[in-house]
């Protein structure tokens, strides 16, 4: 079985997204969110609804799927990704702080697939990581217009 089938699930993706959004709201920072592609009829309805709901929050900036991951990383202070997605690798290459967020706790934090990118497994650990790596003066707002084009 592939990692996608054995690790990723609707509940894991929804829970991870909600936890990250809640944490960013609590800390008072913006979250730039980008899906891989436009949602269609075959996509999981519960996940699509979750993205729609979080997009209504004041500190969530839902960027167009067509926006390149490189431009989004460039506009970010730090990058949080699900394991082992390419966005973290792009951020690492661009010199941005990055981590994988494994809310399931199932992954080995020293997994070679992480390529030296930290695997964070608790919301408290993620909160500390964000505080250490994110500019809390919140300059992301200047990027909203670019996300919508």
């Amino acid at each position: 079985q592939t990692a996608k089938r054995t690790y990723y699930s609707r509940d894991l993706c929804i829970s991870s997204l909600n936890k990250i959004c809640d944490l960013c709201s609590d800390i008072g920072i913006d979250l730039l969110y980008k899906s891989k592609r436009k949602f269609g009829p075959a996509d999981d309805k519960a996940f699509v609804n979750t993205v729609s709901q979080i997009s209504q929050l004041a500190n969530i900036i839902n960027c167009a799927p067509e926006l390149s991951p490189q431009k989004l990383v460039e506009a970010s202070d730090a990058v949080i990704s699900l394991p082992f997605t390419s966005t973290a690798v792009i951020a690492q290459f661009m010199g941005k702080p990055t981590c994988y967020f494994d809310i399931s706790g199932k992954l080995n934090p020293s997994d070679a697939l992480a390529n030296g990118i930290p695997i964070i497994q608790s919301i408290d650990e993620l909160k500390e990581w964000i505080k250490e790596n994110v500019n809390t003066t919140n300059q992301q707002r200047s990027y909203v217009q670019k996300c919508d084009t």
Side-chain angles (χ1 to χ4, degrees), residues 18-30:
N18 281 329
K19 296 274 186 197
I20 293 167
C21 289
D22 289 347
L23 184 56
C24 288
S25 291
D26 291 347
I27 295 173
I29 59 171
D30 286 343

Side-chain angles (χ1 to χ4, degrees), residues 13-14 17-18 21 33-35 37 39 44-57 60 62-63:
C13 292
I14 290 173
L17 185 56
N18 281 329
C21 289
Y33 173 80
K34 177 190 165 316
S35 62
R37 65 191 178 321
F39 293 128
D44 184 271
K45 301 293 182 241
F47 185 75
V48 172
N49 288 340
T50 298
V51 171
S52 178
Q53 288 171 355
I54 64 146
S55 296
Q56 305 307 311
L57 300 173
I60 307 300
N62 193 358
C63 299

